[in-house]
Amino acid sequence: MTEPVLPGFTPWPADLAQRYRSQNLWAGATFGDVLAARAAAAPDRIAVLDTDNRWTYAELHHRSRSLATGLARLEIKQGDRVLVQLPNRAEFVEVIFALFELGALPVFCLPAHRAAELVPIARAAAATAMITSATHQRFDYAALAESVRAEVPSLREILLVLDEGQKAPDGANDIAEFRDEPTDLTGPKSGDVAFLQLSGGSTGIPKLIARTHDDYLYSVRRSAEICELDSDTVYLATLPVAHNFPMSSPGILGALWVGGAVAMTPDPTPATAFPLIEQFGVTITGLVPPLARLWTERAEAGRTSDLSSLRVLQVGGARCQDELARRIGPALGVTLQQVFGMAEGLVCYTRLDDPIDVVVSTQGRPMSEFDQIAVVDDNGAEVAPGAQGNLITQGPYTIRGYYDNPEADARSFTADGWYRTGDIVSVRPDGNLVVAGRAGDWVNRGGEKVSAEELEAHLLEHPDVRDAVIVGTPDPILGQRICAFVQPADPAQRPTLTAVRKFVRERGVAAWKMPDAVVVVDQFPETGVGKTSRKELRKLLADGAHGN
Ligand code: AMP
Ligand code: DBH
């Protein structure tokens, strides 16, 4: 078996890789193989549904092979990296399977990303192409793609998914013109990297996560088993589908693995999603806690759509408060499943037959018996059973290093290759994990992770800001809100919240990263060695400091 060769990819140690293969965890298939097999077995079953499309497995397979052939004509090649920034619509599935077929690597960007994120992502990936929609929710993604191309020399081609009546602007291609007669392409091997997922960068430089067909398919397969999917499953992609959770836990790939259907909702609000659940007969979907709260409240208030097809509602991405967790099942008539995962690998689930106390109060346990987890103190020593500490992990679908990023690896991986999740957890006697929060500096705003240092770097560019520290403050709805502690450059010019938000927005930063409060102070508290103490700043907030 040849090892993957993408430079910048950190493979598993040979002995572990050998074990994962011989135990058939890594089963030797690519995503293209899976789709081909499903299309052969059940060509007429529905694979993908959205408000405008209804594709069978045969159609999806044909479309993706056809687009792969067209992309090859554009000289997009095996191993090339291609930014994909699409909303939840059927074409997302066609595009990523076309890239899988070709062996080009989708780089999974979110619709909310803007130039401040996309440019460094495109540079770090040395992307050659970008596939996006022309517009979505009145935002001009084609123009955004052009602005990224202007900054990134490697980025050659822009391809657009267009709506009825739209035309590609000069310099961009309409993907409809690249749906060629399919030809047989060489394609990737199962040990090859399939795509690049994103993790936030603590220094503002995004971290790219390379996952192989073998390792990711194992996680998808195991997730589908745990979530009890079958060919009658209709999975609704409610969260932005490029995110690891709706992609793979078990997500759209899990639904396709079992020969079920993937449905797409263009937005996650009850007003849009509830009627689609009824229309498509959705059986399972996944939400972040703030959305779960919104859905629960809507259902408790009395609903209009029939949600009786919905059997499982997954909640993850951030801690789901017990109070909310208790309400979800009764309100929506579903089995709640908590999901604690990360794009780097490890995913924990509560099981569908777990006692209610486990489902409501824990974030579940690893999906695989081959996942190894340990809870360690800040010196790396294991804590006493049941005590809180830093979660570290290794296993058959957890990366051994970020893509081409030795500095991040030095921080995020132990010397023997375990991933430091950055999460503080405890493990209960029954094996279930309870997540207490992040050890690091991330603010988790309703499931959207914001790097404190990244945002600080933006604030520091403001002429009135001498120094800035971002901390999360507890929020009953979002989990956390973003509080900016700011030292003014001139005590007479105190930056206001409005000014700071406007400034950050104009720097091209995603809307979810806007500070919710600004607290102007003349000095930051310091730790023993003179570093700014975020912990003390959080205490200051708790003690009553408030912003404007
Ligand atoms: P990311 O690095 O963007 O893939 O986000 C993964 C992180 O999200 C985890 O390391 C946790 O900090 C957080 N997270 C995900 N799911 C949960 C959950 N169910 N409860 C608490 N935190 C979660
Ligand atoms: O937050 C996450 O990144 C996440 C949550 C649930 C994830 O990657 C996953 C499940 O796979």
Side-chain angles (χ1 to χ4, degrees):
M1 186 81 54
T2 49
E3 291 300 327
V5 287
L6 184 71
F9 170 69
T10 309
W12 279 257
D15 56 329
L16 281 179
Q18 165 62 26
R19 190 187 315 161
Y20 298 150
R21 284 199 186 95
S22 67
Q23 288 176 307
N24 219 29
L25 311 181
W26 296 355
T30 66
F31 284 101
D33 297 337
V34 171
L35 182 57
R38 298 297 170 267
D44 300 325
R45 281 197 78 95
I46 295 301
V48 185
L49 288 157
D50 68 11
T51 44
D52 300 317
N53 300 281
R54 190 183 160 85
W55 299 339
T56 64
Y57 273 89
E59 284 168 329
L60 174 62
H61 187 223
H62 179 80
R63 277 177 170 269
S64 61
R65 292 185 63 230
S66 139
L67 182 58
T69 305
L71 295 176
R73 174 158 62 84
L74 264 184
E75 288 183 38
I76 296 172
K77 293 186 292 295
Q78 192 159 344
D80 279 4
R81 276 79 63 199
V82 178
L83 263 51
V84 176
Q85 185 182 39
L86 288 171
N88 290 12
R89 55 188 293 169
E91 291 86 351
F92 178 89
V93 186
E94 174 191 13
V95 163
I96 68 166
F97 275 90
L99 293 169
F100 292 155
E101 192 76 33
L102 193 57
L105 279 48
V107 183
F108 290 127
C109 305
L110 300 173
H113 284 135
R114 296 293 177 262
E117 291 85 19
L118 295 174
V119 169
I121 290 165
R123 284 205 185 115
T128 56
M130 178 162 180
I131 304 180
T132 185
S133 51
T135 54
H136 175 64
Q137 291 176 344
R138 290 183 298 281
F139 182 79
D140 188 346
Y141 285 93
L144 176 59
E146 277 301 348
S147 74
V148 175
R149 175 157 67 177
E151 301 280 322
V152 183
S154 64
L155 191 55
R156 218 166 14 90
E157 300 292 345
I158 293 173
L159 286 116
L160 300 176
V161 174
L162 298 175
D163 290 321
E164 206 55 45
Q166 286 180 326
K167 233 175 99 316
D170 280 352
N173 303 295
D174 174 357
I175 72 158
E177 287 168 19
F178 293 88
R179 292 190 179 113
D180 290 3
E181 192 50 44
T183 54
D184 280 326
L185 300 159
T186 316
K189 293 188 288 296
S190 69
D192 288 343
V193 172
F195 59 81
L196 299 177
Q197 230 340 324
L198 305 179
S199 176
S202 55
T203 57
I205 302 159
K207 288 178 285 187
L208 300 175
I209 296 167
R211 304 284 298 263
T212 66
H213 292 265
D214 268 331
D215 94 77
Y216 209 59
L217 259 173
Y218 171 64
S219 77
V220 165
R221 224 166 74 212
R222 193 58 203 125
S223 296
E225 267 166 37
I226 286 170
C227 301
E228 301 178 17
L229 305 192
D230 60 30
S231 60
D232 293 326
T233 290
V234 181
Y235 175 87
L236 182 69
T238 307
L239 298 172
V241 61
H243 188 274
N244 198 60
F245 179 16
M247 178 83 70
S248 68
S249 299
I252 63 166
L253 295 177
L256 296 172
W257 166 257
V258 296
V262 169
M264 299 278 189
T265 176
D267 87 71
T269 59
T272 306
F274 282 12
L276 290 179
I277 290 173
E278 177 172 343
Q279 185 187 334
F280 296 144
V282 170
T283 60
I284 175 170
T285 189
L287 300 175
V288 290
L291 274 175
R293 185 177 294 277
L294 195 66
W295 282 34
T296 299
E297 287 164 352
R298 180 64 61 92
E300 285 170 347
R303 57 182 186 243
T304 51
S305 302
D306 176 4
L307 303 182
S308 60
S309 62
L310 192 62
R311 288 200 289 267
V312 177
L313 187 69
Q314 305 179 292
V315 179
R319 176 65 196 263
C320 179
Q321 295 297 325
D322 293 16
E323 167 269 329
L324 172 61
R326 258 183 242 110
R327 288 160 57 194
I328 291 171
L332 289 150
V334 294
T335 298
L336 169 65
Q337 178 180 54
Q338 295 215 35
V339 190
F340 162 48
M342 53 212 69
E344 287 84 352
L346 181 72
V347 182
C348 299
Y349 294 97
T350 57
R351 307 307 199 254
L352 300 187
D353 59 356
D354 273 345
I356 190 72
D357 145 67
V358 169
V359 171
V360 161
S361 308
T362 83
Q363 282 64 57
R365 50 199 179 277
M367 69 160 100
S368 167
E369 60 184 297
F370 297 91
D371 283 317
Q372 291 175 268
I373 61 170
V375 183
V376 300
D377 63 22
D378 289 341
N379 301 315
E382 274 197 67
V383 301
Q388 278 187 0
N390 304 288
L391 175 66
I392 62 171
T393 183
Q394 70 165 352
Y397 61 96
T398 295
I399 56 167
R400 308 298 295 198
Y402 287 105
Y403 175 69
D404 195 22
N405 197 340
E407 296 81 29
D409 290 350
R411 283 191 305 271
S412 298
F413 293 83
T414 69
D416 40 9
W418 290 54
Y419 172 56
R420 298 183 211 270
T421 66
D423 294 313
I424 304 294
V425 307
S426 55
V427 182
R428 307 201 322 180
D430 61 13
N432 289 292
L433 274 59
V434 177
V435 181
R438 302 276 308 166
D441 307 328
W442 290 80
V443 182
N444 190 335
R445 192 179 191 280
E448 302 285 11
K449 320 307 183 305
V450 181
S451 154
E453 286 179 37
E454 180 194 345
L455 197 46
E456 286 160 14
H458 286 294
L459 294 193
L460 288 173
E461 298 296 325
H462 192 294
D464 295 341
V465 173
R466 175 170 173 267
D467 202 353
V469 178
I470 301 292
V471 296
T473 69
D475 180 82
I477 306 292
L478 294 166
Q480 285 188 310
R481 284 154 42 96
I482 302 167
C483 178
F485 279 95
V486 167
Q487 281 185 24
D490 170 0
Q493 295 282 331
R494 298 172 93 77
T496 63
L497 176 62
T498 315
V500 167
R501 287 172 66 99
K502 180 163 178 284
F503 178 78
V504 176
R505 193 178 310 112
E506 282 172 0
R507 291 179 58 77
V509 174
W512 83 68
K513 296 180 186 171
M514 297 302 132
D516 296 295
V518 168
V519 181
V520 183
V521 293
D522 294 315
Q523 245 187 326
F524 294 147
E526 292 171 356
T527 66
V529 288
K531 294 185 194 172
T532 301
S533 170
R534 296 171 191 279
K535 202 170 116 203
E536 289 300 318
L537 283 171
R538 287 191 192 103
K539 238 177 80 191
L540 236 132
L541 283 176
D543 292 345
H546 41 75
N548 51 31

